[in-house]
Amino acid sequence: MAEYLYDTTSTKWFLPTYFWSAGAKLVRPSDRTTSCGRTQKICRLARFNGRLKDCMQIYIPMHDEVIGHWYLLICDIFHKKAEIWDSLPDVRHNKKRENDCHITLLYLDSVFHEDILSVFGTGWTFSSFSVVSPLDANPIQPNGVDCGIFVIRHMQYYRQLWHDRYDSNVQRMRLAIELLRNEKNQLRDVIIRETLKVMENASDFMAKGNKLGNVEAKDKDVADITITRKRVYNRKQKQSAVTIPEIRTGRGQPRPRRR
Amino acid sequence: MSRGRSDEDTVKLKVRYNEDGVQTLFRVKRNIKLQKLMEAFCKKRSLDPRSMQFTFDGVGLKKNKTPEELGMVDGDEIDALVHVGGA
């Protein structure tokens, strides 16, 4: 959901999964401050610099590696509250997850140390937030595979009734289509064009049974599009003096070259 | 990798495995596809290439790019991150 991830004006911050799985999780208390630079680089946190005063909520995907489960931590800065949205709570693991969330809050304090000082002054910390689970509104996943969908939907539709009549297949399909049709998807037109082409030549395509040629052609188009889009971004940057990073709208898509 | 090769057409890159923080040094040709480097790294560290994501300055690396295209210089560090699945 690139629209949310890279919007530099949003009051909701969406941190990537690597914030926990490649950052907070691995950090020992002793070297918490030294590893911040690395996490900032990996998660591209520079886009949040100087924006803490406008931030309302921070969404952090959390991972329980014991059973392999994603859940969501939402830091509500206004209410000084950290909510755990866990679609598969388990009495055996809840304590550990709560503890992990505390580690993340401590890590937030280190990562955004300077912003916190300049906005809230000394004494204000993420780690002093009260960690709660909104049991009244928290939906439970009906199977053992949908934790990612629940995390994504909670990020999109916080406290909205998106899970009414939840159907795993429908949600997954919708999510894929939303990603494809999102106006910030750089490859939207290419993929739609290719799809239409494939549908038109469906019989041809099936008869050949050879996808290789098509994929190669697509890659070339994709590369061209990426380059043209990048030029547009550069121009925008000059106008607004705001960094507009490249858009990621899914896996396996090429990203613009590094400058 | 031989001593005779001039430094001009090679670049020394570090690959840092994020899970343990250990860096592996590679000297590669500037015009070689990064896929080779990734495969070599995975083989050396006994990792599954499909579960790895390589990033450079926070941007995911494409397999078919070369260090030259990305403007990499000696000592640049690539991060090797693990994809984490969940249910």
Side-chain angles (χ1 to χ4, degrees):
Chain A
M1 297 268 96
E3 186 182 350
Y4 304 109
L5 265 178
Y6 292 114
D7 184 356
T8 48
T9 56
S10 166
T11 57
K12 293 178 175 183
W13 292 5
F14 300 95
L15 302 193
T17 55
Y18 287 137
F19 187 80
W20 168 254
S21 69
K25 182 180 89 181
L26 304 166
V27 175
R28 287 181 204 88
S30 53
D31 56 21
R32 191 172 284 141
T33 29
T34 48
S35 60
C36 287
R38 187 170 302 282
T39 303
Q40 281 172 340
K41 191 183 87 175
I42 290 172
C43 300
R44 294 178 72 92
L45 297 180
R47 64 180 186 271
F48 296 128
N49 277 354
R51 290 172 50 207
L52 187 64
K53 62 179 190 306
D54 301 318
C55 178
M56 303 289 287
Q57 286 169 323
I58 304 179
Y59 293 71
I60 306 159
M62 298 286 298
H63 188 254
D64 180 337
E65 53 273 20
V66 179
I67 60 161
H69 171 59
W70 285 100
Y71 56 102
L72 186 64
L73 177 67
I74 303 176
C75 299
D76 189 324
I77 291 179
F78 185 75
H79 296 106
K80 298 197 79 174
K81 202 168 67 177
E83 293 177 342
I84 302 175
W85 290 80
D86 186 347
S87 56
L88 209 59
D90 185 328
V91 280
R92 287 166 295 176
H93 305 296
N94 286 351
K95 207 78 213 146
K96 160 99 167 60
R97 288 176 196 170
E98 217 170 281
N99 193 38
D100 284 351
C101 288
H102 272 294
I103 292 171
T104 303
L105 291 172
L106 280 167
Y107 199 53
L108 278 176
D109 281 333
S110 310
V111 169
F112 294 110
H113 179 67
E114 277 167 32
D115 285 275
I116 292 172
L117 270 185
S118 67
V119 177
F120 301 109
T122 47
W124 192 98
T125 53
F126 281 108
S127 44
S128 65
F129 282 22
S130 55
V131 178
V132 293
S133 300
L135 290 172
D136 52 319
N138 184 34
I140 305 295
Q141 65 190 63
N143 54 33
V145 291
D146 275 357
C147 65
I149 304 284
F150 274 69
V151 168
I152 291 169
R153 290 304 193 202
H154 279 313
M155 290 172 112
Q156 282 183 292
Y157 309 117
Y158 174 65
R159 280 192 184 271
Q160 294 176 32
L161 274 177
W162 58 268
H163 47 81
D164 203 22
R165 284 199 289 272
Y166 180 87
D167 183 312
S168 176
N169 290 334
V170 172
Q171 290 285 343
R172 279 166 187 271
M173 188 61 80
R174 269 201 204 141
L175 193 59
I177 294 171
E178 281 171 32
L179 282 167
L180 170 67
R181 292 172 68 166
N182 190 301
E183 58 170 5
K184 299 206 176 183
N185 180 6
Q186 294 180 308
L187 305 172
R188 179 175 62 169
D189 300 339
V190 179
I191 295 173
I192 291 175
R193 207 185 322 132
E194 284 294 319
T195 313
L196 290 174
K197 220 186 280 174
V198 169
M199 281 164 71
E200 276 168 26
N201 307 329
S203 52
D204 247 33
F205 188 75
M206 298 300 277
K208 270 187 207 158
N210 171 18
K211 292 182 188 171
L212 256 178
N214 270 304
V215 171
E216 266 167 21
K218 209 154 104 185
D219 268 354
K220 215 175 105 216
D221 289 353
V222 163
D224 288 341
I225 289 267
T226 324
I227 291 161
T228 40
R229 288 295 165 98
K230 200 187 143 209
R231 279 193 204 120
V232 177
Y233 283 129
N234 284 342
R235 227 176 292 138
K236 270 195 204 160
Q237 263 170 8
K238 270 177 208 155
Q239 281 172 1
S240 59
V242 181
T243 331
I244 302 173
E246 89 287 0
I247 305 299
R248 262 186 77 189
T249 327
R251 293 176 60 186
Q253 287 175 2
R255 286 147 212 172
R257 271 178 225 164
R258 184 172 171 260
R259 265 154 253 155
Chain B
M1 300 291 162
S2 71
R3 271 166 192 277
R5 188 172 290 148
S6 76
D7 279 352
E8 278 173 22
D9 35 288
T10 62
V11 57
K12 282 177 213 154
L13 299 174
K14 287 182 270 185
V15 183
R16 184 183 184 276
Y17 184 40
N18 197 64
E19 297 293 303
D20 56 10
V22 174
Q23 290 178 337
T24 314
L25 260 159
F26 287 92
R27 182 202 270 247
V28 293
K29 282 191 202 164
R30 287 182 191 277
N31 57 0
I32 211 152
K33 283 187 180 165
L34 285 168
Q35 182 171 13
K36 271 205 126 172
L37 176 87
M38 296 173 189
E39 281 169 1
F41 173 79
C42 290
K43 199 169 176 193
K44 195 177 167 74
R45 298 296 311 265
S46 312
L47 301 164
D48 179 2
R50 284 168 303 179
S51 69
M52 299 302 294
Q53 162 83 35
F54 293 86
T55 71
F56 179 52
D57 280 354
V59 183
L61 281 182
K62 272 194 85 184
K63 281 181 180 173
N64 56 2
K65 292 278 187 250
T66 68
E68 193 165 33
E69 286 175 312
L70 297 167
M72 288 173 166
V73 294
D74 276 0
D76 272 349
E77 192 179 278
I78 294 169
D79 288 294
L81 305 168
V82 182
H83 276 305
V84 197

